[in-house]
């Protein structure tokens, strides 16, 4: 490797160890993970309820659920973030932080996506499972609790892992509503060293990529392992 290239790379990665830059990046990653974790918890809870509502036979309710689902799927998350952070403030005079707006948007989006997964899992339960439960004297509530729910959760685990991974990656958008997370801190470090180390962006964004990979890869592997175990 040419010495000038090696020096440039060394300088770029040296920026990470100047002062508290690496510690700041890790702290920003913590903010990202916290927002994602809170959003995931709310999404799993409300998504399960939403999925059950989507299976109700009442047509107006089914139409309303479908409209909400399609709206959340079609509307870009960045636009939803702007609506939550800037729109609510101007329309209703609310004071909402970037973190709160982010949790709100990702919970609404995650609830819609998780709800559709729950709906699909519930509807995939064969009818004879219900009939078998009734044949042995189980009530409808007991069939739902002891027959339907365990099989639904078993189907949902690998799918929900993939959704969680997507939510973690999508949190990179919260930088646009002023949240000081890992991408924002990376931009600050790059800007502070723009004149002295022009190649700092290579190292900073490379480390940010690695951080996201370390967080998401175990979840992706776990989802694959669970799915393979279910098939075997």
């Amino acid at each position: 490797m040419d010495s000038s290239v090696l020096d440039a790379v060394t300088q770029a990665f040296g920026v990470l160890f100047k002062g508290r830059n690496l510690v700041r990046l890790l702290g920003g990653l913590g903010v990202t993970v916290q927002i994602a974790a809170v959003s995931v918890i709310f999404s799993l809870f409300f998504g399960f309820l939403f999925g059950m509502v989507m299976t109700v036979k009442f047509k107006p309710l089914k139409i309303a659920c479908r409209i909400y689902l399609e709206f959340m799927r079609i509307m870009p998350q960045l636009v939803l973030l702007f609506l939550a952070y800037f729109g609510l403030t101007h329309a209703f005079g609310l004071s909402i932080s970037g973190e709160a707006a982010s949790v709100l948007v990702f919970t609404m989006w995650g609830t819609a996506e998780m709800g559709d997964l729950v709906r699909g899992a519930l509807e995939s339960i064969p009818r004879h499972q219900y009939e078998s439960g009734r044949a042995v004297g189980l009530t409808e509530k007991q069939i739902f609790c002891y027959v339907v729910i365990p099989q639904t959760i078993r189907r949902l685990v690998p799918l929900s892992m993939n959704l969680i991974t997507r939510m973690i990656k999508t949190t990179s958008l919260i930088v646009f509503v002023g949240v000081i997370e890992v991408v924002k801190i990376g931009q600050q470090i790059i800007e502070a060293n723009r004149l002295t180390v022009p190649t700092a962006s290579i190292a900073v964004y490379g480390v940010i990529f690695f951080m996201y990979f370390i967080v998401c890869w175990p979840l992706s592997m776990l989802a694959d392992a669970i799915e393979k175990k279910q098939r075997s």
Side-chain angles (χ1 to χ4, degrees):
M1 182 182 292
D2 187 84
S3 60
S4 60
V5 175
L6 182 61
D7 289 342
V9 172
T10 303
Q11 280 187 336
F13 280 91
V15 168
L16 296 169
F17 300 98
K18 287 174 60 177
R20 301 182 66 255
N21 285 345
L22 187 58
V23 175
R24 290 175 62 205
L25 281 175
L26 291 171
L29 180 66
V31 172
T32 298
V33 172
Q34 287 175 10
I35 290 175
V38 173
S39 302
V40 165
I41 291 171
F42 285 143
S43 297
L44 293 176
F45 176 74
F46 291 115
F48 207 91
L49 296 178
F50 182 59
M52 289 190 292
V53 171
M54 290 180 74
T55 62
V56 174
K57 301 301 181 183
F58 186 54
K59 193 169 183 179
L61 187 58
K62 288 177 73 70
I63 293 174
C65 290
R66 176 55 61 178
I67 292 173
Y68 174 75
L69 174 63
E70 294 302 326
F71 177 82
M72 285 295 142
R73 282 181 169 172
I74 293 170
M75 188 68 68
Q77 281 75 46
L78 183 58
V79 175
L80 291 173
L81 282 170
F82 285 160
L83 285 174
Y85 186 63
F86 299 109
L88 290 177
T89 301
H90 289 89
F92 302 103
L94 300 177
S95 178
I96 183 170
S97 66
E99 290 83 355
S102 302
V103 170
L104 174 63
V105 167
F106 288 123
T107 298
M108 291 174 65
W109 170 54
T111 296
E113 294 289 351
M114 187 65 191
D116 196 42
L117 295 178
V118 172
R119 177 201 58 76
L122 286 172
E123 292 180 350
S124 69
I125 305 297
R127 298 306 304 173
H128 69 78
Q129 298 280 356
Y130 295 88
E131 295 166 1
S132 299
R134 297 187 188 101
V136 297
L138 296 179
T139 64
E140 294 298 322
K141 183 179 179 180
Q142 288 173 327
I143 292 172
F144 190 76
C145 292
Y146 301 127
V147 178
V148 177
I149 291 297
Q151 294 185 66
T152 300
I153 292 175
R154 185 170 179 268
R155 288 168 166 78
L156 281 175
V157 171
L159 298 175
S160 60
M161 289 289 181
N162 291 328
L163 176 60
I164 291 169
T165 302
R166 287 167 53 203
M167 292 184 70
I168 293 172
K169 292 185 292 185
T170 310
T171 53
S172 59
L173 295 175
I174 64 180
V175 65
F176 294 106
V177 291
V179 179
I180 308 300
E181 43 73 74
V182 64
V183 175
K184 182 66 174 180
I185 292 173
Q187 291 176 342
Q188 292 174 348
I189 294 172
I190 292 168
E191 187 63 26
N193 294 273
R194 180 171 56 86
L195 298 178
T196 56
V197 188
T199 56
S201 58
I202 298 173
V204 172
Y205 285 128
V207 169
I208 291 173
F209 162 80
F210 184 73
M211 287 178 171
Y212 273 104
F213 179 79
I214 288 298
V215 172
C216 295
W217 183 67
L219 294 175
S220 180
M221 294 296 293
L222 180 60
D224 289 341
I226 293 172
E227 194 168 3
K228 288 178 181 177
K229 186 176 180 180
Q230 290 180 352
R231 289 177 180 175
S232 61

PDB file of all heavy atoms in Angstrom, residues 10 12 14 27 32 36 43 58 60-61 88 93 96 101 104 110 120 122 135 149 155 198 223:
ATOM      1  N   THR A  10      -4.503   6.001   8.517  1.00  0.00           N
ATOM      2  CA  THR A  10      -4.090   6.079   9.926  1.00  0.00           C
ATOM      3  C   THR A  10      -4.618   7.350  10.574  1.00  0.00           C
ATOM      4  O   THR A  10      -5.113   7.332  11.708  1.00  0.00           O
ATOM      5  CB  THR A  10      -2.559   6.040  10.040  1.00  0.00           C
ATOM      6  OG1 THR A  10      -2.075   4.844   9.419  1.00  0.00           O
ATOM      7  CG2 THR A  10      -2.127   6.070  11.493  1.00  0.00           C
ATOM      8  N   ALA A  12      -7.217   9.051   9.603  1.00  0.00           N
ATOM      9  CA  ALA A  12      -8.680   8.961   9.680  1.00  0.00           C
ATOM     10  C   ALA A  12      -9.116   8.205  10.923  1.00  0.00           C
ATOM     11  O   ALA A  12     -10.004   8.654  11.659  1.00  0.00           O
ATOM     12  CB  ALA A  12      -9.221   8.294   8.422  1.00  0.00           C
ATOM     13  N   GLY A  14      -7.274   7.653  13.492  1.00  0.00           N
ATOM     14  CA  GLY A  14      -6.755   8.330  14.678  1.00  0.00           C
ATOM     15  C   GLY A  14      -7.735   9.322  15.262  1.00  0.00           C
ATOM     16  O   GLY A  14      -7.728   9.587  16.467  1.00  0.00           O
ATOM     17  N   GLY A  27     -21.888   6.289  23.181  1.00  0.00           N
ATOM     18  CA  GLY A  27     -23.039   6.895  23.854  1.00  0.00           C
ATOM     19  C   GLY A  27     -24.172   7.163  22.894  1.00  0.00           C
ATOM     20  O   GLY A  27     -25.346   6.961  23.212  1.00  0.00           O
ATOM     21  N   THR A  32     -29.544   5.408  20.348  1.00  0.00           N
ATOM     22  CA  THR A  32     -30.221   4.729  19.239  1.00  0.00           C
ATOM     23  C   THR A  32     -30.883   3.446  19.715  1.00  0.00           C
ATOM     24  O   THR A  32     -32.049   3.174  19.399  1.00  0.00           O
ATOM     25  CB  THR A  32     -29.212   4.410  18.123  1.00  0.00           C
ATOM     26  OG1 THR A  32     -28.661   5.626  17.615  1.00  0.00           O
ATOM     27  CG2 THR A  32     -29.871   3.641  16.994  1.00  0.00           C
ATOM     28  N   ALA A  36     -34.908   2.546  19.961  1.00  0.00           N
ATOM     29  CA  ALA A  36     -35.381   1.355  19.251  1.00  0.00           C
ATOM     30  C   ALA A  36     -36.028   0.369  20.217  1.00  0.00           C
ATOM     31  O   ALA A  36     -37.083  -0.211  19.914  1.00  0.00           O
ATOM     32  CB  ALA A  36     -34.229   0.692  18.510  1.00  0.00           C
ATOM     33  N   SER A  43     -44.426  -1.551  20.258  1.00  0.00           N
ATOM     34  CA  SER A  43     -44.923  -2.113  18.999  1.00  0.00           C
ATOM     35  C   SER A  43     -45.381  -3.556  19.169  1.00  0.00           C
ATOM     36  O   SER A  43     -46.399  -3.963  18.601  1.00  0.00           O
ATOM     37  CB  SER A  43     -43.836  -2.040  17.924  1.00  0.00           C
ATOM     38  OG  SER A  43     -43.496  -0.704  17.632  1.00  0.00           O
ATOM     39  N   PHE A  58     -66.188  -7.620  11.771  1.00  0.00           N
ATOM     40  CA  PHE A  58     -66.948  -6.376  11.578  1.00  0.00           C
ATOM     41  C   PHE A  58     -66.295  -5.558  10.465  1.00  0.00           C
ATOM     42  O   PHE A  58     -65.170  -5.075  10.606  1.00  0.00           O
ATOM     43  CB  PHE A  58     -66.983  -5.595  12.887  1.00  0.00           C
ATOM     44  CG  PHE A  58     -67.851  -4.378  12.854  1.00  0.00           C
ATOM     45  CD1 PHE A  58     -69.186  -4.462  12.474  1.00  0.00           C
ATOM     46  CD2 PHE A  58     -67.336  -3.142  13.207  1.00  0.00           C
ATOM     47  CE1 PHE A  58     -69.989  -3.333  12.442  1.00  0.00           C
ATOM     48  CE2 PHE A  58     -68.141  -2.013  13.184  1.00  0.00           C
ATOM     49  CZ  PHE A  58     -69.453  -2.109  12.803  1.00  0.00           C
ATOM     50  N   PRO A  60     -66.614  -2.495   8.867  1.00  0.00           N
ATOM     51  CA  PRO A  60     -66.080  -1.134   9.013  1.00  0.00           C
ATOM     52  C   PRO A  60     -64.771  -1.100   9.810  1.00  0.00           C
ATOM     53  O   PRO A  60     -63.865  -0.328   9.496  1.00  0.00           O
ATOM     54  CB  PRO A  60     -67.201  -0.394   9.755  1.00  0.00           C
ATOM     55  CG  PRO A  60     -68.437  -1.141   9.388  1.00  0.00           C
ATOM     56  CD  PRO A  60     -68.022  -2.575   9.298  1.00  0.00           C
ATOM     57  N   LEU A  61     -64.677  -1.959  10.838  1.00  0.00           N
ATOM     58  CA  LEU A  61     -63.449  -2.017  11.631  1.00  0.00           C
ATOM     59  C   LEU A  61     -62.294  -2.576  10.815  1.00  0.00           C
ATOM     60  O   LEU A  61     -61.165  -2.082  10.894  1.00  0.00           O
ATOM     61  CB  LEU A  61     -63.692  -2.870  12.878  1.00  0.00           C
ATOM     62  CG  LEU A  61     -62.553  -2.904  13.915  1.00  0.00           C
ATOM     63  CD1 LEU A  61     -62.231  -1.506  14.404  1.00  0.00           C
ATOM     64  CD2 LEU A  61     -62.935  -3.797  15.085  1.00  0.00           C
ATOM     65  N   LEU A  88     -47.115  18.463  14.936  1.00  0.00           N
ATOM     66  CA  LEU A  88     -47.841  18.533  16.204  1.00  0.00           C
ATOM     67  C   LEU A  88     -47.537  19.818  16.951  1.00  0.00           C
ATOM     68  O   LEU A  88     -48.407  20.398  17.603  1.00  0.00           O
ATOM     69  CB  LEU A  88     -47.480  17.316  17.087  1.00  0.00           C
ATOM     70  CG  LEU A  88     -47.994  15.949  16.619  1.00  0.00           C
ATOM     71  CD1 LEU A  88     -47.499  14.851  17.547  1.00  0.00           C
ATOM     72  CD2 LEU A  88     -49.508  15.938  16.558  1.00  0.00           C
ATOM     73  N   GLY A  93     -49.731  23.247  19.282  1.00  0.00           N
ATOM     74  CA  GLY A  93     -48.950  23.976  20.283  1.00  0.00           C
ATOM     75  C   GLY A  93     -48.299  23.075  21.309  1.00  0.00           C
ATOM     76  O   GLY A  93     -48.054  23.494  22.440  1.00  0.00           O
ATOM     77  N   ILE A  96     -42.835  18.822  22.040  1.00  0.00           N
ATOM     78  CA  ILE A  96     -42.469  17.409  21.985  1.00  0.00           C
ATOM     79  C   ILE A  96     -41.002  17.292  21.596  1.00  0.00           C
ATOM     80  O   ILE A  96     -40.537  17.968  20.675  1.00  0.00           O
ATOM     81  CB  ILE A  96     -43.379  16.651  20.990  1.00  0.00           C
ATOM     82  CG1 ILE A  96     -43.055  15.158  20.965  1.00  0.00           C
ATOM     83  CG2 ILE A  96     -43.296  17.241  19.603  1.00  0.00           C
ATOM     84  CD1 ILE A  96     -44.064  14.335  20.186  1.00  0.00           C
ATOM     85  N   ALA A 101     -40.930  12.153  19.745  1.00  0.00           N
ATOM     86  CA  ALA A 101     -41.483  12.058  18.394  1.00  0.00           C
ATOM     87  C   ALA A 101     -41.018  10.778  17.705  1.00  0.00           C
ATOM     88  O   ALA A 101     -41.784  10.112  17.006  1.00  0.00           O
ATOM     89  CB  ALA A 101     -41.074  13.280  17.570  1.00  0.00           C
ATOM     90  N   LEU A 104     -42.848   7.788  19.183  1.00  0.00           N
ATOM     91  CA  LEU A 104     -44.236   7.813  18.710  1.00  0.00           C
ATOM     92  C   LEU A 104     -44.334   7.269  17.289  1.00  0.00           C
ATOM     93  O   LEU A 104     -45.170   6.396  17.000  1.00  0.00           O
ATOM     94  CB  LEU A 104     -44.771   9.242  18.770  1.00  0.00           C
ATOM     95  CG  LEU A 104     -46.177   9.475  18.176  1.00  0.00           C
ATOM     96  CD1 LEU A 104     -47.225   8.675  18.949  1.00  0.00           C
ATOM     97  CD2 LEU A 104     -46.519  10.960  18.174  1.00  0.00           C
ATOM     98  N   GLY A 110     -44.363   0.398  13.820  1.00  0.00           N
ATOM     99  CA  GLY A 110     -44.155  -0.974  14.279  1.00  0.00           C
ATOM    100  C   GLY A 110     -45.451  -1.670  14.638  1.00  0.00           C
ATOM    101  O   GLY A 110     -45.606  -2.873  14.405  1.00  0.00           O
ATOM    102  N   GLY A 120     -51.733 -12.379  10.113  1.00  0.00           N
ATOM    103  CA  GLY A 120     -51.378 -13.503   9.254  1.00  0.00           C
ATOM    104  C   GLY A 120     -51.152 -14.780  10.043  1.00  0.00           C
ATOM    105  O   GLY A 120     -51.562 -15.868   9.610  1.00  0.00           O
ATOM    106  N   LEU A 122     -52.454 -15.546  13.021  1.00  0.00           N
ATOM    107  CA  LEU A 122     -53.731 -16.025  13.552  1.00  0.00           C
ATOM    108  C   LEU A 122     -54.557 -16.718  12.472  1.00  0.00           C
ATOM    109  O   LEU A 122     -55.158 -17.768  12.712  1.00  0.00           O
ATOM    110  CB  LEU A 122     -54.521 -14.848  14.141  1.00  0.00           C
ATOM    111  CG  LEU A 122     -54.033 -14.282  15.476  1.00  0.00           C
ATOM    112  CD1 LEU A 122     -54.783 -13.007  15.823  1.00  0.00           C
ATOM    113  CD2 LEU A 122     -54.169 -15.297  16.600  1.00  0.00           C
ATOM    114  N   ALA A 135     -63.962 -30.197  20.527  1.00  0.00           N
ATOM    115  CA  ALA A 135     -64.308 -31.610  20.686  1.00  0.00           C
ATOM    116  C   ALA A 135     -63.902 -32.150  22.050  1.00  0.00           C
ATOM    117  O   ALA A 135     -64.547 -33.061  22.581  1.00  0.00           O
ATOM    118  CB  ALA A 135     -63.650 -32.434  19.581  1.00  0.00           C
ATOM    119  N   ILE A 149     -52.878 -19.056  20.761  1.00  0.00           N
ATOM    120  CA  ILE A 149     -51.793 -18.132  21.128  1.00  0.00           C
ATOM    121  C   ILE A 149     -50.414 -18.795  21.071  1.00  0.00           C
ATOM    122  O   ILE A 149     -49.478 -18.231  20.487  1.00  0.00           O
ATOM    123  CB  ILE A 149     -52.053 -17.526  22.525  1.00  0.00           C
ATOM    124  CG1 ILE A 149     -53.247 -16.576  22.481  1.00  0.00           C
ATOM    125  CG2 ILE A 149     -50.812 -16.782  23.019  1.00  0.00           C
ATOM    126  CD1 ILE A 149     -53.057 -15.369  21.594  1.00  0.00           C
ATOM    127  N   ARG A 155     -45.022 -18.895  15.406  1.00  0.00           N
ATOM    128  CA  ARG A 155     -44.895 -18.401  14.037  1.00  0.00           C
ATOM    129  C   ARG A 155     -44.326 -16.985  13.997  1.00  0.00           C
ATOM    130  O   ARG A 155     -43.659 -16.594  13.034  1.00  0.00           O
ATOM    131  CB  ARG A 155     -46.261 -18.412  13.337  1.00  0.00           C
ATOM    132  CG  ARG A 155     -46.788 -19.805  12.983  1.00  0.00           C
ATOM    133  CD  ARG A 155     -48.250 -19.719  12.568  1.00  0.00           C
ATOM    134  NE  ARG A 155     -48.742 -20.916  11.907  1.00  0.00           N
ATOM    135  CZ  ARG A 155     -49.079 -22.032  12.532  1.00  0.00           C
ATOM    136  NH1 ARG A 155     -48.987 -22.100  13.858  1.00  0.00           N
ATOM    137  NH2 ARG A 155     -49.517 -23.086  11.855  1.00  0.00           N
ATOM    138  N   PRO A 198      -9.343  15.451   6.402  1.00  0.00           N
ATOM    139  CA  PRO A 198     -10.468  15.367   5.460  1.00  0.00           C
ATOM    140  C   PRO A 198     -11.014  13.951   5.279  1.00  0.00           C
ATOM    141  O   PRO A 198     -12.156  13.776   4.854  1.00  0.00           O
ATOM    142  CB  PRO A 198      -9.856  15.882   4.143  1.00  0.00           C
ATOM    143  CG  PRO A 198      -8.645  16.661   4.544  1.00  0.00           C
ATOM    144  CD  PRO A 198      -8.126  15.992   5.780  1.00  0.00           C
ATOM    145  N   ALA A 223     -33.013 -15.073  14.318  1.00  0.00           N
ATOM    146  CA  ALA A 223     -34.237 -15.295  13.541  1.00  0.00           C
ATOM    147  C   ALA A 223     -34.060 -16.470  12.581  1.00  0.00           C
ATOM    148  O   ALA A 223     -34.948 -17.316  12.451  1.00  0.00           O
ATOM    149  CB  ALA A 223     -34.596 -14.025  12.770  1.00  0.00           C
TER     150      ALA A 223
END
